[in-house]
Amino acid sequence: MSAKNHILSIFALGGLNEIGKNMYAIEYANDILIIDCGNKFPDESLLGIDLIIPDIAYLEENKEKVRALIVTHGHEDHIGGIPFFLKKLNVPVYATRFTLGLIELKLKEHRILRESEMIEINSNSNLKFENLSVSFFKVTHSIPDCLGMVFHTPEGNIVHTGDFKFDLTPENNEHSDIHKMAEIGKEGVLLLLSESTNAERPGLTPSEQMVGEHVEAAFRKAKRKIILSTFASNVSRVQQIVNAAHKTHRKLALLGRSMVNVVAVAMERGYLTVPDGMLIDQQEINEWPPERVAILCTGSQGEPLAALARLSTGNFRGVEILPEDTVVFAAGPIPGNERNVTSIVDNFFELGAKVIYGSGTTSGMHVSGHGYQEDLKLMLTLMKPQYFIPIHGEFRMLNHHRLLAESVGVEQGHTFIIKNGDMVDIEKGIARQTRTIPVGNTYIDGGDVGNVGEYVLRDRKQFAEDGMLIIVLTMSKAEGKLISEPETISRGFMDKDFKAFRRDINQLTMKTLTELQEANRTQWNVIKKQVKRSIQQHVYTQTKKKPMIVPILIEI
């Protein structure tokens, strides 16, 4: 590493003060290395938006420095933005075997797999760049093949944990490499970036083995069909369901595109073992006695178009939920999804099904893949960092993680709770946060990337809340006067009493036009602005609503 007298910078383009769209960066001299590139799903305020991905404007401005994208694991909030990223910055992507399989599915959908450089790594890999090098260590999470990373820099070692928990009896036998973590800590860690999702939850994360026992018990008690929903990426959970189906002599059907795709990748790459003849197609479900069938499907978070929601409303063609069928939610609801999940649970109860749901500790059907407080403290104790940045969490989680760090020996004032775009600069072993780069969200709207701004979202919100009034003005091109009475059209505004209300608006519009003509102000932009203002004031006074007002001029 030949570079001297450069500042080492660490920053996030996503994943700080939020859950989702994780993206972090290490910059030194002529090297920028990117960690993860995820997406997150919009809330109900972002009307029409399909996905939210990181804003990479800073990386585009410095594209000659961007050397690689290195991926910790294959969850959507860590890989979902990769196709959009590679269309702008086609750099090599380094990931483990299973993670590459999931990324390749996305790149095929976007038709950019052939021109993308995919490089397989594992916990023993070492990557060397001009001024930086990277080594890895294995961590346990709720998806196979997860890595933590060590960035070896002239200033010292920077560690990024990825998402992790410490499970001493993992279902897939992928144990956290605690000995290697301890060695990294002995070598010295200048700065640790560690995930904070469960920083508010005391204790240790329960073992995945607990879930396997409860899943098998549910299979043995089920009298008819058993329907389970979980995250498609939780291959350990899928293996538990396969094992339970095998022990109870049931066939297994997969519903939902993501479930089918992930299971195919996991089987192809040796991460999932399914007995020959167990899997059946959707069309075969009704050909078997109900006590011989299990269905594994997507939709555990209440997604309205996913298989589970459609089953709950009787809208999944060829599959009917009947009394004494058993439905199992083998995943806990992500904060914000509780209402949708509860609605689906109610639907299944109305159909007469037995429903097993609730948090993992309540139902025994789910444990988190993210470390609780004792897991986080163990990571901090192993790494013994001089400086600490809690990541991957909302502000309260980051703050709880800061307190945990201080409780195990990180010096007060050496923890940075920062926002996306804030840069932590390290020079001569001293870390400071003094500068920020502009960072926002990039919205995906159908095939449109990044062209939906705040004004469009504001208009959509206004239209959704208060509706729209369209005022059509047919005017003489030669004389600049109205040829006929204005036509006022309501969309999402009001139905009852609108006939009388429309008459008032038309009279107000004609009065406004007359006043403008008398003042010799006949330019279309002036007419549009004044008509819009007059009607907005009148509508708000009468209804306390603010519909979108759209004047349209037809000149004849």
Side-chain angles (χ1 to χ4, degrees):
M1 298 184 186
S2 59
K4 301 291 183 183
N5 301 321
H6 290 287
I7 295 175
L8 174 66
S9 299
I10 299 94
F11 57 98
L13 303 173
L16 292 178
N17 290 289
E18 64 178 352
I19 297 292
K21 74 172 181 68
N22 292 279
M23 187 181 221
Y24 310 92
I26 310 285
E27 180 175 3
Y28 187 85
N30 296 318
D31 290 343
I32 297 178
L33 301 180
I34 310 302
I35 308 162
D36 293 340
C37 182
N39 67 20
K40 70 175 182 178
F41 295 98
D43 59 29
E44 60 273 8
S45 69
L46 297 174
L47 300 167
I49 300 301
D50 301 312
L51 290 175
I52 306 169
I53 60 173
D55 175 0
I56 62 168
Y58 178 82
L59 301 180
E60 291 183 86
E61 291 169 7
N62 295 275
K63 61 183 178 182
E64 71 284 350
K65 292 184 178 183
V66 180
R67 303 291 175 221
L69 169 61
I70 311 172
V71 184
T72 59
H73 66 282
H75 277 147
E76 282 295 309
D77 57 339
H78 295 260
I79 68 170
I82 289 178
F84 307 99
F85 173 84
L86 292 180
K87 289 174 184 178
K88 298 286 185 71
L89 295 169
N90 192 7
V91 299
V93 177
Y94 295 85
T96 56
R97 190 163 182 263
F98 182 70
T99 305
L100 280 182
L102 300 181
I103 295 171
E104 287 170 6
L105 284 175
K106 295 182 175 299
L107 300 187
K108 282 178 185 176
E109 287 181 10
H110 286 259
R111 300 180 181 178
I112 58 171
L113 179 58
R114 286 187 178 181
E115 56 264 37
S116 302
E117 186 179 359
M118 302 285 110
I119 301 170
E120 184 178 323
I121 57 175
N122 57 46
S123 59
N124 296 316
S125 298
N126 285 282
L127 310 180
K128 294 189 182 300
F129 302 94
E130 184 178 340
N131 301 292
L132 303 171
S133 63
V134 191
S135 59
F136 304 90
F137 55 95
K138 190 178 293 186
V139 295
T140 303
H141 187 38
S142 55
I143 189 172
D145 261 6
C146 301
L147 295 176
M149 305 178 179
V150 185
F151 294 84
H152 305 274
T153 82
E155 288 284 350
N157 291 343
I158 310 297
V159 174
H160 185 293
T161 65
D163 288 358
F164 74 94
K165 66 176 180 178
F166 288 101
D167 188 344
L168 300 181
T169 55
E171 186 69 25
N172 56 10
N173 290 318
E174 290 193 4
H175 295 81
S176 299
D177 199 339
I178 297 176
H179 296 292
K180 195 169 186 178
M181 294 179 202
E183 288 299 319
I184 293 165
K186 283 183 182 178
E187 290 176 14
V189 174
L190 177 62
L191 173 69
L192 173 68
L193 298 97
S194 182
E195 72 127 326
S196 310
T197 310
N198 278 335
E200 299 170 284
R201 302 178 73 171
L204 283 162
T205 312
S207 173
E208 188 72 29
Q209 275 198 354
M210 179 194 80
V211 177
E213 297 165 3
H214 285 88
V215 168
E216 185 175 332
F219 267 78
R220 295 194 184 281
K221 291 178 183 176
K223 296 179 181 179
R224 290 176 49 87
K225 292 195 301 293
I226 183 165
I227 299 94
L228 301 98
S229 184
T230 190
F231 295 110
S233 59
N234 194 337
V235 175
S236 296
R237 190 74 41 80
V238 174
Q239 185 69 66
Q240 290 170 330
I241 292 165
V242 168
N243 295 345
H246 180 61
K247 290 178 181 178
T248 55
H249 310 291
R250 289 178 183 259
K251 299 294 184 180
L252 184 64
L254 307 176
L255 303 184
R257 189 177 67 154
S258 63
M259 185 65 72
V260 170
N261 287 342
V262 172
V263 166
V265 170
M267 290 176 65
E268 175 195 337
R269 303 197 174 209
Y271 295 89
L272 180 67
T273 302
V274 180
D276 291 341
M278 174 180 280
L279 292 180
I280 60 173
D281 291 335
Q282 173 187 330
Q283 293 78 11
E284 299 177 75
I285 291 173
N286 293 326
E287 297 176 8
W288 291 86
E291 65 273 11
R292 293 288 312 280
V293 174
I295 296 171
L296 178 57
C297 65
T298 56
S300 63
Q301 298 306 305
E303 302 94 320
L305 299 180
L308 193 68
R310 290 156 57 203
L311 285 169
S312 78
T313 56
N315 289 323
F316 203 105
R317 189 172 61 185
V319 183
E320 188 177 4
I321 304 299
L322 297 170
E324 295 195 329
D325 284 346
T326 300
V327 179
V328 177
F329 286 75
I334 294 171
N337 293 340
E338 294 91 348
R339 184 183 299 175
N340 291 342
V341 172
T342 301
S343 175
I344 292 174
V345 170
D346 285 342
N347 291 344
F348 280 121
F349 273 119
E350 285 187 31
L351 294 173
K354 176 185 177 183
V355 189
I356 303 173
Y357 67 101
S359 65
T361 52
T362 302
S363 67
M365 292 296 177
H366 176 66
V367 295
S368 177
H370 301 274
Y372 290 10
Q373 289 181 354
E374 297 305 313
D375 302 70
L376 301 181
K377 281 158 54 174
L378 178 55
M379 179 65 78
L380 284 156
T381 303
L382 290 168
M383 293 298 174
K384 299 187 289 288
Q386 185 177 344
Y387 292 100
F388 176 55
I389 301 177
I391 60 171
H392 194 189
E394 294 166 354
F395 188 88
R396 66 185 186 281
M397 303 168 188
L398 306 182
N399 189 62
H400 275 284
H401 205 172
R402 174 183 67 82
L403 297 175
L404 293 175
E406 292 175 358
S407 75
V408 296
V410 175
E411 188 177 330
Q412 285 191 5
H414 280 212
T415 298
F416 298 91
I417 298 183
I418 56 178
K419 299 177 182 178
N420 294 331
D422 290 348
M423 281 192 166
V424 173
D425 292 328
I426 302 175
E427 187 174 19
K428 298 179 181 178
I430 306 297
R432 298 181 179 87
Q433 197 284 301
T434 57
R435 62 191 179 116
T436 300
I437 59 173
V439 170
N441 289 318
T442 299
Y443 298 120
I444 310 296
D445 184 2
D448 200 357
V449 180
N451 290 327
V452 177
E454 297 302 324
Y455 289 112
V456 172
L457 293 174
R458 184 193 64 192
D459 286 349
R460 289 179 181 178
K461 189 170 186 291
Q462 183 182 2
F463 182 40
E465 290 179 349
D466 290 330
M468 175 189 289
L469 284 174
I470 303 169
I471 317 297
V472 181
L473 306 173
T474 304
M475 303 183 72
S476 166
K477 191 171 184 179
E479 299 179 13
K481 296 181 179 180
L482 273 176
I483 294 176
S484 60
E485 183 176 296
E487 182 180 358
T488 302
I489 303 166
S490 169
R491 291 291 180 266
F493 172 56
M494 68 187 313
D495 292 322
K496 189 178 179 181
D497 300 326
F498 181 65
K499 191 172 182 181
F501 195 78
R502 177 169 53 196
R503 186 168 56 247
D504 292 342
I505 291 175
N506 289 348
Q507 290 175 355
L508 177 60
T509 302
M510 289 189 289
K511 179 175 180 287
T512 302
L513 287 172
T514 300
E515 291 173 352
L516 289 172
Q517 287 170 349
E518 290 174 353
N520 200 26
R521 300 176 65 196
T522 57
Q523 302 94 331
W524 169 234
N525 62 329
V526 175
I527 293 173
K528 179 180 176 181
K529 187 176 181 180
Q530 197 59 42
V531 166
K532 191 173 179 180
R533 180 184 297 167
S534 301
I535 294 174
Q536 278 178 334
Q537 291 174 347
H538 176 75
V539 170
Y540 185 75
T541 301
Q542 297 298 317
T543 68
K544 296 298 183 274
K545 292 183 178 180
K546 295 181 178 180
M548 185 182 298
I549 311 296
V550 182
I552 297 175
L553 174 66
I554 299 174
E555 290 187 315
I556 296 177

